[in-house]
């Protein structure tokens, strides 16, 4: 059993393949966190919970003279505000009498086979035989506010998921000013915290730092998970590396405002919390209403960061992503944006597609500029009808022309936005987020549509769906190109405006669910100015996300490195673009651009008509190589062999199939030197006692030699040279 309850000791134990999670109901009915770490036997660990009398740490009234028992120092399973725990809280409720105090006491629990589901929210899914669920009901006796903690245990994946339902059992309304999902308390502060920061064109850059007294906070109030922080965090031992050390990972299955915080308290204990960002959040619960928090996925590894990443990669592929394309070979595509931007007509697109077809490219994607009066970014968003000046044959006619070339056809959309210069805005100005009496903040001359409204979602589903119904569209890139400001909904009363951002995300999920359900044969790719909404919530609906608008191969090494800690390679949208690169001006060999883009979904983002014959042949070979190694790259175990934040000489990574018989090792030499040092790289994941060939050379290598002695890297003349080593068991 993955979940057990010791009735006598009141101890809950959750077991995964390599980890144990334990909590207990205290003598005063609080739910106390006991342990999360390396797997232990069946022993209950209540002896770990000790209390001493600490000054200014209060005690429950029922405790009488038991001054060692304090919510301020005891490890909590779900912390609340106002009852004497002065650390970061998960729940802060405003009661009908104006007080903001909640004391949650154990009421009941149930254990059942299968994995709980969350209405209207993405979540990990599993069959009855693949998971167990624990539900623990807690209640504030004074207000009848009830919280049900949900735990899903996927034993074989070393994963525990958490969520909760908050129910107002009072006769009057309650406001939630803070409703996070998960809390983890540790009795030590000997940790590092790893997070992934960034900006547009440079997302998910790894940052590692010691935890210290006070709070380390990553968050977003931008309406999306954002380019600037990612809702994925790792807490690890200070000696932890890729192959060694204890690591805890937490991923928030949500695409809106979030917060993740690590705090060290007065006695060197560490608390981690994660959930919806409390800034700007205020949710009204009428009597009987239930609020459901989004899911947090937890995983633990004693074998370092590589194993932890592998846990998340495998879980997402098997139990989060639902698209049929997760296990089907996806077509190599070309997108016209960097080739043409808004300046195109139908014949131009057909010409690019025709040239691409000759190279082995399989899917042509028409990007922004095909609808309304969309000749620049000043107008047209929201008007989802074809620009017949650019496309006389319409999307349907263009799709037929592309299909007649033997290629698939896809389009770009940005459903969540509107320009003031659009028919949609002129007809429905109340449909966008805009506060009456204030001039709105503009980004890219766009306003945000209030898709918390059913009528807005219905319009978008009808108008965009009409295009998808009439044309043979087999791929859709779903973009979103601005942050929230002037957050306000015309449909909600003033005491519910704090709900808008969350209701927006629920509306987004509702709309995406309808699209992917009606059009299961369309490959959807998420995008938000590149990687501004790269999160587990989006992957529930779309199997891949455009990793970054920065297509420079050398920049992408850092971006894709950070992304790999929490997300599978098959989810990473990556393309070969022009050199010199449009974002950085850097010149990079075509071979290197291909090597880096192959560590993702792979495609092209340039005008292939401008390539000379030598370059065209190189592209043909890249595509053939990618197809030959598709299963290995997309589904193999991924290893980070270097850290680009520390190693400025080279970047290296590796893919290994399930039985260790086949591998692809890739390296980009970042700097060439006069009179250079020699270096070699040790690979991973092979069978030590088996024998291998590398790139079909005559020499035979023992697996242990390649993993312990390494592979020699050739000398280079010029920066940014790359090499691929195909390793096969003989």
């Amino acid at each position: 059993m993955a979940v057990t309850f010791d009735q006598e000791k009141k101890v809950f134990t959750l077991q995964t393949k390599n980890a144990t999670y334990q909590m207990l109901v205290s003598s005063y009915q609080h739910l106390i966190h006991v342990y999360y770490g390396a797997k232990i036997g069946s022993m209950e660990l209540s002896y770990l919970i000790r209390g001493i009398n600490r000054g200014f740490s209060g005690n429950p009234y029922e405790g009488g003279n038991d001054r060692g028992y304090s919510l301020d120092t005891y490890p909590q399973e779900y912390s609340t505000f106002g009852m004497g725990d002065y650390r970061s809280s998960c729940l802060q409720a405003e009661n009908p009498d104006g007080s903001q105090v909640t004391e949650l006491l154990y009421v009941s629990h149930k254990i059942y086979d299968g994995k709980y589901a969350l209405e209207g929210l993405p979540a990990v899914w599993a069959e009855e035989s693949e998971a167990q669920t624990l539900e623990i009901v807690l209640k504030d006796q004074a207000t009848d506010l009830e919280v049900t903690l949900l735990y899903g245990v996927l034993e074989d994946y070393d994963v525990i998921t958490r969520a909760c339902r908050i129910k107002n059992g009072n006769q009057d309304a309650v406001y939630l000013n803070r409703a996070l999902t998960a809390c983890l308390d540790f009795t030590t502060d000997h940790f590092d915290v790893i997070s992934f920061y960034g900006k547009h064109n440079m997302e998910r850059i790894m940052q590692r730092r010691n935890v210290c007294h006070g709070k380390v906070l990553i968050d977003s109030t931008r309406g999306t998970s954002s380019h600037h922080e990612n809702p994925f965090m790792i807490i690890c031992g200070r000696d932890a590396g890729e192959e060694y050390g204890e690591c805890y990972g937490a991923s928030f299955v949500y695409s809106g405002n979030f917060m993740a915080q690590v705090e060290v308290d007065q006695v060197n204990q560490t608390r981690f919390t994660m959930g919806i960002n409390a800034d700007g959040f205020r949710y009204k619960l009428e009597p009987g209403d239930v609020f459901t928090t989004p899911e947090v996925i937890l995983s633990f590894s004693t074998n370092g960061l590589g194993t932890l990443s592998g846990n998340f990669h495998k879980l997402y592929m098997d139990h989060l992503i639902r698209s049929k394309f997760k296990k089907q070979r996806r077509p190599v595509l070309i997108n016209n944006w960097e080739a043409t931007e808004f300046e195109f007509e139908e014949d131009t697109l057909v010409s690019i597609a025709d040239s691409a077809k000759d190279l082995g490219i399989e899917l042509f994607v028409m990007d922004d500029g095909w609808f309304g009066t969309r000749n620049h970014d000043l107008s047209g968003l929201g008007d989802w009808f074809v620009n017949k000046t650019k496309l006389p044959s319409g999307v349907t006619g263009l799709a037929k022309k592309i299909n007649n070339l033997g290629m698939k056809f896809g389009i770009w959309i940005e459903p969540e936005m509107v320009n003031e210069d659009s028919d949609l805005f002129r007809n429905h100005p109340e449909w966008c987020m805009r506060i009456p009496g204030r001039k709105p903040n503009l980004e890219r001359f766009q306003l945000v549509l209030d898709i918390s409204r059913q009528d807005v979602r219905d319009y978008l589903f009808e108008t965009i769906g009409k295009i998808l119904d009439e044309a043979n569209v087999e791929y859709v890139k779903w973009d979103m190109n601005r942050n929230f400001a002037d957050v306000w909904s015309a449909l909600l009363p003033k005491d519910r405006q704090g709900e808008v951002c969350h209701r927006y995300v629920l509306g987004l999920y509702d709309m995406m669910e309808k699209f992917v359900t009606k059009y299961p044969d369309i490959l959807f790719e998420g995008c938000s100015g590149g990687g501004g909404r790269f999160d587990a919530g989006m992957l529930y609906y779309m199997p891949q996300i455009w990793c970054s608008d920065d297509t420079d191969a050398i920049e992408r090494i850092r971006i894709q490195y950070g992304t790999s800690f929490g997300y599978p390679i098959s989810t990473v949208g990556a393309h070969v673009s022009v050199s010199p690169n449009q974002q950085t001006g850097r010149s990079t060999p075509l071979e290197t651009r291909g090597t880096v883009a192959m560590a993702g979904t792979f495609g092209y983002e340039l005008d292939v008509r401008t390539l000379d014959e030598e370059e065209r042949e190189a592209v043909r070979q890249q595509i053939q190589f990618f197809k030959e190694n598709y299963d290995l790259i997309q589904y193999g175990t991924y290893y980070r062999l270097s850290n680009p934040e520390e190693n400025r000489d080279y970047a290296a990574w590796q893919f290994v199939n399930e039985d260790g018989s086949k591998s692809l090792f890739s390296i980009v030499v970042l700097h060439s030197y006069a009179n250079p040092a020699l270096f070699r790289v040790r690979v991973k994941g092979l069978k030590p006692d088996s024998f291998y060939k590398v790139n079909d050379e005559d020499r035979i290598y023992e697996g242990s030699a390649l993993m312990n002695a390494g592979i020699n890297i050739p000398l280079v003349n010029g920066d940014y040279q790359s090499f691929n080593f195909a390793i096969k068991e003989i």
Side-chain angles (χ1 to χ4, degrees):
M1 294 285 287
V3 182
T4 57
F5 179 63
D6 184 325
Q7 183 68 43
E8 180 183 355
K9 300 291 183 64
K10 303 293 186 185
V11 172
F12 296 96
T13 302
L14 284 57
Q15 300 277 25
T16 69
K17 183 169 56 178
N18 295 296
T20 297
Y21 188 113
Q22 201 170 96
M23 53 196 149
L24 63 83
V25 180
S26 76
S27 55
Y28 306 114
Q29 303 305 300
H30 300 110
L31 191 59
I32 303 301
H33 180 75
V34 177
Y35 175 82
Y36 185 27
K39 191 167 187 175
I40 59 169
S42 58
M43 179 180 178
E44 58 86 13
L45 303 173
S46 58
Y47 73 90
L48 296 174
I49 304 302
R50 297 180 296 166
I52 65 172
N53 181 13
R54 298 190 185 277
F56 291 88
S57 292
N59 320 109
Y61 188 86
E62 293 77 9
N65 200 38
D66 184 2
R67 296 190 178 184
Y69 187 105
S70 176
L71 297 179
D72 190 33
T73 57
Y74 266 42
Q76 306 293 305
E77 195 59 35
Y78 192 73
S79 55
T80 62
F81 181 84
M83 275 301 297
D85 184 352
Y86 299 98
R87 297 164 290 179
S88 301
S89 61
C90 286
L91 180 65
Q92 184 175 356
E94 185 178 326
N95 301 311
D97 61 3
S99 65
Q100 297 188 52
V101 174
T102 305
E103 183 181 26
L104 295 178
L105 303 179
Y106 170 80
V107 175
S108 64
H109 75 275
K110 62 179 177 179
I111 300 168
Y112 55 89
D113 291 338
K115 165 71 168 54
Y116 64 82
L118 303 178
E119 184 177 359
L121 285 165
V124 169
W125 47 268
E127 302 296 330
E128 280 197 9
S129 62
E130 297 174 312
Q132 278 197 306
T133 292
L134 168 65
E135 297 187 6
I136 302 176
V137 179
L138 311 173
K139 182 182 283 190
D140 183 291
Q141 302 299 328
T143 65
D144 286 331
L145 187 72
E146 184 178 280
V147 176
T148 301
L149 302 182
L150 306 172
Y151 300 81
V153 183
L154 286 86
E155 188 171 2
D156 290 343
Y157 293 81
D158 273 329
V159 160
I160 296 170
T161 68
R162 292 191 59 177
C164 61
R165 300 188 183 105
I166 305 168
K167 180 179 180 180
N168 180 13
N170 204 293
Q171 298 303 306
D172 297 295
V174 170
Y175 292 90
L176 302 179
N177 295 325
R178 187 182 184 96
L180 305 190
T181 296
C183 174
L184 273 180
D185 279 350
F186 304 92
T187 57
T188 179
D189 64 346
H190 294 160
F191 290 116
D192 282 353
V193 58
I194 300 175
S195 59
F196 302 88
Y197 72 96
K199 58 187 175 183
H200 179 235
N201 280 341
M202 186 51 72
E203 299 91 336
R204 290 172 302 287
I205 302 304
M206 177 187 177
Q207 177 172 246
R208 182 169 181 166
R209 49 197 151 160
N210 294 153
V211 301
C212 57
H213 284 275
K215 300 175 182 178
V216 174
L217 171 71
I218 65 165
D219 73 339
S220 171
T221 57
R222 295 173 178 267
T224 63
S225 46
S226 85
H227 301 83
H228 307 84
E229 299 286 357
N230 192 263
F232 176 75
M233 181 180 275
I234 297 171
I235 300 170
C236 61
R238 291 181 175 171
D239 60 348
E242 284 290 334
E243 299 179 81
Y244 173 82
E246 294 190 343
C247 309
Y248 301 83
S251 181
F252 195 32
V253 190
Y254 191 66
S255 306
N257 295 339
F258 79 94
M259 60 186 298
Q261 185 168 272
V262 177
E263 176 185 10
V264 176
D265 71 5
Q266 57 175 322
V267 290
N268 301 336
Q269 299 179 128
T270 301
R271 168 169 290 178
F272 166 78
T273 53
M274 179 177 263
I276 295 173
N277 201 315
D279 287 349
F281 175 85
R282 189 171 189 257
Y283 207 96
K284 184 178 184 180
L285 288 182
E286 297 287 1
D289 282 355
V290 176
F291 180 84
T292 302
T293 69
E295 186 166 81
V296 168
I297 303 170
L298 301 173
S299 187
F300 170 77
S301 165
T302 58
N303 297 316
L305 299 166
T307 297
L308 185 72
S309 293
N311 292 346
F312 282 98
H313 293 183
K314 186 168 176 56
L315 178 81
Y316 288 0
M317 291 297 292
D318 293 349
H319 290 286
L320 181 70
I321 301 170
R322 300 174 297 160
S323 168
K324 73 174 191 177
F325 294 99
K326 70 178 179 179
K327 291 294 176 72
Q328 288 187 9
R329 191 181 75 78
R330 301 172 211 171
V332 177
L333 68 81
I334 185 165
N335 183 298
N336 73 289
W337 176 252
E338 288 197 11
T340 67
E341 296 195 356
F342 293 107
E343 302 298 322
F344 65 81
E345 56 187 23
E346 191 170 304
D347 290 344
T348 306
L349 301 182
V350 174
S351 174
I352 293 173
D354 188 35
S355 182
K357 169 62 179 176
D358 180 58
L359 303 176
I361 296 173
E362 301 159 303
L363 165 65
F364 176 82
V365 179
M366 175 176 60
D367 210 278
D368 195 357
W370 59 267
F371 52 89
T373 56
R374 190 71 168 169
N375 299 313
H376 39 64
D377 60 9
L378 299 173
S379 65
L381 274 178
D383 294 342
W384 296 107
F385 52 85
V386 179
N387 184 326
K388 285 297 186 75
T389 302
K390 289 184 175 181
L391 304 179
S393 301
V395 175
T396 302
L398 175 61
K400 288 179 180 178
K401 292 181 179 181
I402 301 299
N403 293 159
N404 288 339
L405 295 173
M407 297 184 74
K408 299 177 184 292
F409 175 74
I411 62 172
W412 174 98
I413 60 174
E414 190 171 5
E416 303 162 65
M417 298 293 149
V418 63
N419 289 124
E420 289 182 296
D421 184 5
S422 67
D423 290 348
L424 179 62
F425 182 82
R426 285 184 282 271
N427 293 332
H428 291 286
E430 77 282 6
W431 278 9
C432 68
M433 287 190 191
R434 192 177 59 158
I435 301 172
R438 290 182 181 270
K439 292 181 179 179
N441 177 280
L442 293 176
E443 278 186 55
R444 207 171 181 246
F445 305 99
Q446 298 177 191
L447 295 172
V448 181
L449 284 173
D450 179 10
I451 61 171
S452 70
R453 298 175 59 127
Q454 185 68 54
D455 50 1
V456 176
R457 300 200 299 275
D458 289 345
Y459 163 80
L460 294 169
F461 188 69
E462 178 183 349
T463 54
I464 296 172
K466 188 173 186 292
I467 299 291
L468 302 182
D469 289 337
E470 294 176 354
N472 187 24
V473 175
E474 298 183 72
Y475 164 100
V476 170
K477 181 179 180 180
W478 184 309
D479 209 346
M480 193 273 199
N481 280 308
R482 68 154 292 173
N483 299 143
F484 285 11
D486 313 295
V487 174
W488 191 82
S489 175
L491 279 187
L492 294 177
K494 64 181 181 180
D495 66 338
R496 305 201 79 141
Q497 293 298 323
E499 303 174 18
V500 174
C501 287
H502 180 61
R503 288 181 176 272
Y504 179 98
V505 178
L506 294 180
L508 172 67
Y509 291 153
D510 174 71
M511 188 163 60
M512 286 183 170
E513 184 69 29
K514 289 178 180 176
F515 272 104
V516 300
T517 299
K518 184 175 181 182
Y519 305 104
D521 296 325
I522 291 178
L523 170 58
F524 284 89
E525 178 171 271
C527 180
S528 179
R533 198 160 57 187
F534 204 118
D535 56 66
M538 293 298 293
L539 293 177
Y540 183 78
Y541 302 96
M542 302 182 181
Q544 62 189 57
I545 302 171
W546 182 227
C547 188
S548 177
D549 278 348
D550 186 348
T551 57
D552 178 275
I554 306 306
E555 299 275 270
R556 270 299 188 105
I557 287 171
R558 296 180 69 202
I559 296 167
Q560 292 172 199
Y561 172 82
T563 304
S564 74
F565 279 86
Y567 305 97
I569 297 304
S570 66
T571 68
V572 176
H575 295 169
V576 176
S577 64
V578 72
S579 181
N581 180 263
Q582 290 186 4
Q583 289 85 41
T584 65
R586 180 183 285 112
S587 295
T588 311
L590 180 57
E591 181 182 11
T592 297
R593 285 176 272 152
T595 294
V596 175
M598 284 183 204
T601 58
F602 196 61
Y604 291 82
E605 191 99 10
L606 48 79
D607 190 344
V608 292
R609 298 173 303 176
T610 66
L611 300 176
D612 62 32
E613 190 51 44
E614 182 180 350
E615 292 171 323
R616 293 178 67 82
E617 182 57 32
V619 168
R620 292 186 187 100
Q621 293 179 13
Q622 285 179 353
I623 293 171
Q624 182 62 31
F625 184 81
F626 179 71
K627 290 179 180 178
E628 290 173 354
N629 290 278
Y630 184 88
D631 288 351
L632 180 60
I633 293 171
Q634 299 297 299
Y635 313 131
T637 300
Y638 178 78
Y639 291 96
R640 295 176 291 266
L641 302 182
S642 70
N643 179 350
E645 304 305 315
E646 298 174 353
N647 188 334
R648 302 300 182 182
D649 290 335
Y650 65 84
W653 57 92
Q654 184 190 3
F655 306 95
V656 183
N657 68 354
E658 188 173 1
D659 67 3
S661 64
K662 186 178 179 181
S663 176
L664 176 63
F665 159 49
S666 300
I667 185 167
V668 177
V669 180
L670 300 174
H671 294 289
S672 61
Y673 298 93
N675 192 18
L678 300 177
F679 62 94
R680 59 181 180 262
V681 177
R682 293 184 293 178
V683 296
K684 300 178 182 180
L686 306 181
K687 293 181 276 189
D689 297 330
S690 289
F691 294 92
Y692 296 84
K693 279 194 172 185
V694 178
N695 286 343
D696 290 325
E697 296 174 356
D698 291 337
R699 181 184 294 275
I700 295 174
Y701 300 86
E702 198 166 0
S704 58
L706 294 174
M707 291 191 291
N708 295 308
I711 293 177
N712 287 327
I713 305 305
L715 298 176
V716 300
N717 183 14
D719 293 344
Y720 314 133
Q721 306 298 308
S722 70
F723 302 93
N724 287 302
F725 297 88
I727 305 171
K728 296 181 181 179
E729 184 182 21
I730 59 172

